[in-house]
Amino acid sequence: MRQEREDKSMTLTKAIKEYIDLKLEYFQLAAAERISLLIGNIILISFIALLGFAVLLLFILLVNNLLMAWIGIAWLVGVIEIVFVCLLIVFLWIFRDYLVIKPVANVIVRTLLDPSGKFKTKEDDEKDE
């Protein structure tokens, strides 16, 4: 009887230890997944910002060519372009919370602190619809 009780306590101790090990492994896997998603999102946002900058430069070159064809005065075209870029900078500064800070913060918070522990994928979005 005593031997049987010791076996059950050893089995229970072993089961608890395995449970703790599995929980630790699950936590490590979940943390690795969240960190990799966060890094992936940061790289994607950086790439999109770089492409947006390239599009902005091409747009400025287009405006330069159009204004040179219409006006023909180089210094006036330069002043118009400087004013245009300054207006864009002011616009971005005024709306920085809505255009930059909140979207980036939402991505970080959603990635790191998702309460369900399950990340939405494209398949999940299609199922929801």
Side-chain angles (χ1 to χ4, degrees):
M1 185 73 156
R2 186 174 184 191
Q3 180 71 20
E4 200 174 293
R5 187 178 298 155
E6 287 178 5
D7 288 342
K8 285 183 181 179
S9 67
M10 291 297 270
T11 306
L12 180 62
T13 306
K14 186 177 177 182
I16 291 173
K17 184 179 179 196
E18 287 178 9
Y19 176 76
I20 291 172
D21 289 341
L22 288 174
K23 277 296 197 182
L24 181 63
E25 185 178 344
Y26 173 76
F27 175 75
Q28 289 172 342
L29 288 173
E33 181 183 19
R34 289 174 187 233
I35 289 171
S36 66
L37 283 173
L38 180 63
I39 291 171
N41 286 333
I42 288 172
I43 291 171
L44 178 67
I45 290 170
S46 301
F47 188 68
I48 289 172
L50 189 64
L51 288 177
F53 183 68
V55 168
L56 177 66
L57 288 177
L58 290 173
F59 181 72
I60 289 173
L61 287 174
L62 173 71
V63 169
N64 183 21
N65 288 335
L66 289 175
L67 288 176
M68 282 301 289
W70 290 341
I71 298 174
I73 304 171
W75 66 268
L76 185 59
V77 170
V79 169
I80 292 171
E81 287 178 349
I82 290 171
V83 168
F84 176 73
V85 171
C86 288
L87 286 175
L88 280 177
I89 291 171
V90 168
F91 177 77
L92 284 174
W93 181 257
I94 291 172
F95 295 106
R96 69 186 179 275
D97 287 339
Y98 299 107
L99 295 174
V100 178
I101 295 172
K102 285 184 181 178
V104 171
N106 286 339
V107 166
I108 292 171
V109 167
R110 198 176 331 119
T111 302
L112 293 178
L113 301 176
D114 186 18
S116 67
K118 180 178 179 279
F119 305 106
K120 280 198 159 194
T121 60
K122 290 181 182 178
E123 293 84 20
D124 293 337
D125 290 338
E126 292 171 359
K127 288 178 187 176
D128 290 343
E129 294 173 359

